[in-house]
Amino acid sequence: MAAPPPTPGLARPRADAVPADPGHGDRDQALHAMAEALAGPGLVVVTGPPGCGRTRLLERLAQASKRPVHAGGGLAMLSGAPALALERATRARMPADDLPLLAEAVYSRTRGGLLVIDDLQWCDAATLAVLPVLAERLPVAAALRIPNRLNETALARLLADATVVPVPDLTEAEAARLVAEAAPALPPTRAAALTVRAGGNPLALTALAKRAANLETPGDDLDLETPGDPAAAAAAAIADLPRAGRTALAALGLLGRPAHPSLLGEGAAVLRDAGLAVPDGAHLRAASPWMAEVAAGILDHDARLSMHERLADATVGVESARHAHAAGLADRALATALEAAQAAGPQARAEALLLAADLDPSHAVAAARAALAAGRTRAALAVLDRAPDDPETALARAWALLALGEPGQARAALEHAPEGPEADQLRLLTAPPSEKDALVGLLREAHPDLTHPGLAAALAGDDPDALAFAEALARDAGEATTAFWCAWSRVIALADAARLVEAEAVAHEAADRAGAAGAYSWQTRFLAAAAWCLVLSGTGLDNVIAAAQSLADHALPAVADTLIDASIALAEADTGALGAARARLARLKDAPAALEGLVAWLEHETAWLDGQPGPEAPESQPGLVGGLAHITGRWIAYDTGTEPVAAEQTPWPVPVASTLSAWDKAAPGPFAQAATAWDGLAAREQVRCLLALAAHAGDAAAAVAALEAAERIADEHGLIVLAGRARRGLRKHDVRRDRRSARGGGGLTDRESEVLRHVASGHPSRRIAEILGITAETVETHIRSGMRKLGAKTRTEAAVLLTAAEGGAA
């Protein structure tokens, strides 16, 4: 989905807002530049060498923020864990394999707040890729160590639109203040010498100052005359620690995460006193992960192996297996990884089996399947490259390629797959449309007893009951993805049968299950489908617009994105915002192929509602939307006096078939029957049938009765345009309605008018609140007041009335 336009008044500051020479600007200036750059959505990346104080600047920014702060960061030992930094910030599982949905999942938990991500150098590719996307709608502050080993292309993409703030060198005043805080009694001359030795590194300076303050007498063990770079200064500071402190800090460096003080032993207190570790709940974390890295890096080879072995003893699961692997204990690492995989959740199981596959390629297929279950398609393909070239590998590779959207390659991989229901399921899923019907017949004969959940789901077709059975079977078997596909197919099948109320209920139930499982991609699909069903039924259009606009403000996959925009466009058109609806439809030119027919019908329907019918409605497909396209075509032909295109002999949903039959007969009785068929299913189509009944009625009394019924139903459901058509018909029969005029704005205040103009532009309440600098509750208050003054039943009607009044005044 295209990024929303920048919010007025919150433009990103110019690049020259950052001090031109960061080395000579103080940190307060850098902090001011960061805060200014994040007055609205944007990305600020604080950069600098190890230990320079990047984290401290982020902490100060967070403390000064008036927004809620969501803070996370990368961990050295878990740098390959997908979206770990974002999960730490949001305290929720993240769909790391789907970038748009990852952005949606993070934004839904951080909107209105400040996202802070420390230690980008240890973040995975998904985190680096999603931050610029999030920064289009959210203030994001991050810290990046220079130098680092990140991919150059990914790093360039991250920094392309970021405001980069290099951490300034410590000024003399800042260094003096640090030393004074750490060692108030230290003489100024010694404080200056320590600053030189620390090489401008704040943490090294703090550690050296505390150590110097604890010396009973200054001695040669502190070489205050030799300046050094930050790494040398850090190593010197670490060397000054007691052995227990050095060991504990090295352990934190190898762990790459906080640790309980009991694991660190006597060194925990040493690190706390030296300011090299700080509390993190019941644990301790390194105040500077880099200092911990340095401590681990200066261990000799044998000491490093020994410490990894000790950490393997002290930890459990995948973490223990990693340390055993690093200690050179391959057999132990393999056994531990396999044991960890038995009782782990999807992500941890994938991690464990991928490690096992590194140690023994015979586990590659199991690792690939676990990675696919965790949504890590690329990892699955990578590990399969090390797998034996056998039939089971072919099956796993076919699934991975299908998940990547490469059905042709997946079909080719199946040439070497073993015969069986899973391979048949994949053959059906990857078959070209022209071959599917024949293949379905063959597979039903080959598998009369459908006990395989995946094959049962693939063969269920568009039968809602069969799909419900297959979905339950898949859930019982623990096959979540198959269950979601069944639910999605069931929603589509119910909607195509014009069972919109059932389809909406099934979609909401499935969305709840997807949300509970953390499957945000599926969740948004189902929510979009539910919104579409509600709009087609003409139910609660004003609420649908508000809810759909909120969802449309997120990053969504293509299908959900198109359905949401289509829902808003039809709701806007029905409630009178025809200009906004047509502008929205203009942005749907690249809709997924499966939804091209839906978008084409919407374009013709909106044009007809706007009194500007185009040519005959496009060639339709079977199902509800295909039938609606033919119904719209009949209205266009009727209004323009042209011949309609005859509908093919397709098994249309009953209400569609009834309506098309009524048009063929052009008699009032069939239109009355068609209106009854739509009753309780789709108010807008019921109204259209009543309008057609009035147009074909044999006497004025019957026409007026039909028009009054159409007007009443349209008014009840907020179908402003169709209600207007009914009133125009009534005026032809000299039946007039006393409608309150909106001229003069109905006594609206300037703020109410301003809010309603934003409503007319398609903005949801939350976006209007951001633009105007008021709360969303205040926006709602102004909208309700404006609706009352204008005599409007919906916010959209109020906006349309105001626009008409202002146009007339002009």
Side-chain angles (χ1 to χ4, degrees):
M1 185 172 64
T7 304
L10 296 180
R12 182 176 297 163
R14 303 185 309 275
D16 59 8
V18 180
D21 184 2
H24 298 291
D26 65 29
R27 295 174 185 233
D28 289 337
Q29 290 177 334
L31 182 64
H32 177 74
M34 294 164 63
E36 192 172 79
L38 294 179
L43 173 61
V44 165
V45 179
V46 183
T47 63
C52 68
R54 302 181 311 277
T55 299
R56 177 58 182 153
L57 268 182
L58 287 185
E59 290 173 351
R60 290 179 63 191
L61 179 70
Q63 290 167 2
S65 175
K66 295 181 180 178
R67 300 169 179 261
V69 176
H70 306 274
L75 295 174
M77 194 65 180
L78 301 176
S79 58
L84 175 65
L86 298 170
E87 291 185 344
R88 295 178 70 198
T90 59
R91 301 181 185 276
R93 288 188 301 164
M94 290 289 116
D97 203 53
D98 187 333
L99 184 61
L101 264 298
L102 176 59
E104 136 68 13
V106 176
Y107 182 68
S108 67
R109 287 166 173 78
T110 57
R111 66 172 68 187
L114 169 66
L115 178 63
V116 176
I117 301 295
D118 200 1
D119 292 321
L120 284 178
Q121 69 276 4
W122 291 324
C123 289
D124 66 303
T127 300
L128 298 178
V130 82
L131 289 184
V133 178
L134 289 168
E136 293 175 357
R137 297 172 293 156
L138 186 74
V140 181
L144 174 66
R145 190 177 73 186
I146 303 294
N148 55 67
R149 298 183 181 181
L150 294 177
N151 177 275
E152 291 184 3
T153 302
L155 183 58
R157 191 178 299 118
L158 172 73
L159 300 179
D161 295 319
T163 299
V164 179
V165 179
V167 177
D169 294 340
L170 282 176
T171 63
E172 292 182 4
E174 289 170 333
R177 186 164 61 246
L178 275 179
V179 174
E181 290 172 357
L186 207 63
T189 54
R190 297 196 66 205
L194 286 176
T195 302
V196 173
R197 184 179 181 197
N201 186 293
L203 283 168
L205 177 58
T206 300
L208 285 169
K210 288 188 175 183
R211 174 62 176 161
N214 291 329
L215 286 176
E216 293 185 3
T217 58
D220 293 336
D221 60 336
L222 276 179
D223 179 9
L224 302 177
E225 305 300 327
T226 306
D229 61 27
I238 293 166
D240 288 335
L241 292 171
R243 179 169 181 166
R246 295 198 303 272
T247 302
L249 191 58
L252 285 174
L254 293 179
L255 280 169
R257 63 166 177 82
H260 195 275
S262 62
L263 180 61
L264 303 177
E266 296 177 3
V270 175
L271 295 183
R272 274 196 301 261
D273 293 343
L276 293 174
V278 294
D280 188 342
H283 295 71
L284 282 180
R285 63 175 173 83
S288 166
W290 166 74
M291 292 280 282
E293 259 185 58
V294 172
I298 60 178
L299 292 172
D300 62 44
H301 178 70
D302 291 340
R304 180 187 294 272
L305 293 181
S306 176
M307 183 166 286
H308 272 301
E309 185 173 359
R310 288 172 54 196
L311 292 174
D313 293 336
T315 55
V316 297
V318 180
E319 189 175 21
S320 178
R322 286 199 197 96
H323 286 295
H325 186 25
L329 306 174
D331 291 342
R332 175 179 171 179
L334 178 59
T336 304
L338 293 175
E339 182 181 357
Q342 296 302 314
Q347 290 289 348
R349 175 177 169 79
E351 285 291 331
L353 289 176
L354 288 169
L355 175 58
D358 281 340
L359 295 161
D360 182 355
S362 68
H363 298 286
V365 171
R369 287 184 177 271
L372 286 171
R376 300 179 60 183
T377 309
R378 298 288 181 186
L381 279 174
V383 76
L384 286 173
D385 289 340
R386 301 193 297 273
D389 191 9
D390 60 22
E392 290 302 318
T393 301
L395 269 179
R397 182 171 282 111
W399 277 119
L401 290 167
L402 184 62
L404 280 180
E406 297 291 346
Q409 295 181 38
R411 193 162 55 248
L414 287 172
E415 294 178 5
H416 306 290
E419 293 299 323
E422 185 178 18
D424 287 340
Q425 176 191 1
L426 279 164
R427 289 189 180 95
L428 184 55
L429 292 175
T430 60
S434 59
E435 300 176 11
K436 279 198 173 182
D437 288 344
L439 184 56
V440 165
L442 291 174
L443 293 181
R444 288 194 182 279
E445 291 180 5
H447 303 278
D449 185 14
L450 286 177
T451 58
H452 187 274
L455 184 56
L459 289 169
D462 57 1
D463 181 346
D465 293 334
L467 286 164
F469 175 78
E471 180 186 354
L473 196 67
R475 283 209 305 270
D476 291 343
E479 297 188 13
T481 301
T482 297
F484 286 135
W485 271 114
C486 289
W488 177 254
S489 300
R490 188 178 169 206
V491 170
I492 299 303
L494 288 169
D496 273 344
R499 296 161 62 180
L500 295 171
V501 175
E502 294 176 72
E504 186 266 338
V506 170
H508 272 299
E509 291 171 3
D512 290 342
R513 286 194 294 271
Y520 302 107
S521 175
W522 282 111
Q523 184 184 28
T524 54
R525 266 192 184 224
F526 288 122
L527 289 174
W532 175 247
C533 291
L534 284 173
V535 170
L536 278 183
S537 68
T539 303
L541 294 186
D542 208 34
N543 292 333
V544 170
I545 291 176
Q549 281 175 330
S550 177
L551 187 58
D553 204 29
H554 300 171
L556 302 176
V559 171
D561 187 21
T562 301
L563 274 177
I564 280 295
D565 270 348
S567 301
I568 298 174
L570 182 56
E572 287 174 333
D574 278 339
T575 52
L578 289 157
R582 299 188 81 151
R584 192 177 300 277
L585 288 172
R587 299 196 293 269
L588 291 181
K589 297 301 183 184
D590 296 324
L595 297 177
E596 286 178 351
L598 182 150
V599 173
W601 167 63
L602 275 179
E603 290 173 342
H604 284 264
E605 178 71 8
T606 302
W608 175 75
L609 288 169
D610 202 13
Q612 305 175 45
E616 171 61 36
E619 182 179 348
S620 62
Q621 301 174 352
L624 178 60
V625 171
L628 293 176
H630 272 294
I631 293 172
T632 298
R634 296 302 181 99
W635 272 109
I636 292 173
Y638 176 80
D639 287 348
T640 58
T642 58
E643 286 295 320
V645 174
E648 298 177 5
Q649 295 301 315
T650 302
W652 300 111
V654 172
V656 170
S658 179
T659 304
L660 292 175
S661 174
W663 277 105
D664 288 338
K665 297 173 181 177
F671 279 117
Q673 294 172 0
T676 301
W678 287 110
D679 187 19
L681 295 179
R684 68 186 317 278
E685 294 309 316
Q686 184 182 15
V687 170
R688 292 213 291 182
C689 285
L690 289 170
L691 292 173
L693 169 58
H696 293 82
D699 61 81
V704 168
L707 289 168
E708 287 179 333
E711 180 190 30
R712 175 180 53 79
I713 296 171
D715 279 341
E716 287 175 356
H717 291 82
L719 300 167
I720 307 303
V721 177
L722 293 179
R725 185 164 181 138
R727 278 188 280 275
R728 288 196 299 274
L730 287 168
R731 284 198 293 272
K732 292 179 182 178
H733 293 280
D734 293 325
V735 179
R736 300 186 181 277
R737 296 288 187 253
D738 181 17
R739 299 285 292 175
R740 181 174 180 175
S741 173
R743 291 198 180 275
L748 298 181
T749 66
D750 289 344
R751 181 63 94 182
E752 288 165 351
S753 297
E754 188 176 22
V755 167
L756 288 176
R757 280 193 289 271
H758 284 298
V759 170
S761 298
H763 292 310
S765 295
R766 184 183 56 76
R767 178 68 58 76
I768 298 171
E770 292 176 355
I771 293 171
L772 301 180
I774 57 180
T775 67
E777 290 76 13
T778 302
V779 170
E780 290 293 331
T781 299
H782 288 313
I783 291 173
R784 287 193 296 270
S785 177
M787 289 167 57
R788 184 177 63 254
K789 291 178 180 180
L790 292 169
K793 290 190 170 77
T794 69
R795 69 182 63 204
T796 311
E797 182 185 6
V800 170
L801 290 173
L802 175 65
T803 301
E806 291 180 337

